[in-house]
Amino acid sequence: ARCIYNIIDALPAARIVAQTGGIPVLCSKLLKIEYVDLAEQVVSILERLTEEQPVQVLQNGGLHSLLAYLDFFALATQRQAMVAATRMTQAVPSLESFEAHVRPVLSRLATLLSHDDPQVVQAA
């Protein structure tokens, strides 16, 4: 994960990660957390990917993956996840995409409105 993050940091490689099927693999690491440091790195990678490819991250399950175990992470990682979530929801391309990828997590987003951190609340 650190190598992928470094590549994305050095090059505009978001499209390559999306085209090679990397996003679903990254998302799966957030749904089955085995190592906290790996999961935190994946959140960072997904947050960076949403800078250039928010729709691709959304359509590959990124929103659900980032929100599934959000409370498990440290506050800084929660904030990164919410930045990515905001980018994805702002980029929803169609009603069909909204129904498939955003509506299923609306209740989770609503519960974040009572989060202790104002930055998380604002992003929700």
Side-chain angles (χ1 to χ4, degrees), residues 1-11 13 17 26 29 35-46 48 77:
R2 286 189 178 99
C3 291
I4 294 170
Y5 183 84
N6 291 336
I7 290 169
I8 292 171
D9 197 36
L11 303 169
V17 174
L26 292 168
K29 297 299 178 188
Y35 303 101
V36 175
D37 58 335
L38 174 62
E40 289 174 343
Q41 193 71 47
V42 168
V43 171
S44 295
I45 292 168
L46 290 174
R48 291 297 304 269
T77 305

Side-chain angles (χ1 to χ4, degrees), residues 27 30-33 61-73 81-82 105 108 112:
C27 291
L30 292 179
L31 296 174
K32 293 183 180 179
I33 298 174
L63 187 58
H64 169 71
S65 298
L66 286 167
L67 297 177
Y69 297 106
L70 186 71
D71 296 332
F72 175 76
F73 294 111
M82 291 307 298
V105 298
R108 177 67 177 126
L112 291 171

Side-chain angles (χ1 to χ4, degrees), residues 4 7-9 11-20 22-23 45-46 48-54 56-57:
I4 294 170
I7 290 169
I8 292 171
D9 197 36
L11 303 169
R15 186 160 299 178
I16 294 168
V17 174
Q19 291 173 345
T20 59
I23 296 172
I45 292 168
L46 290 174
R48 291 297 304 269
L49 289 174
T50 61
E51 291 176 6
E52 296 178 31
Q53 303 286 321
Q56 286 76 9
V57 177

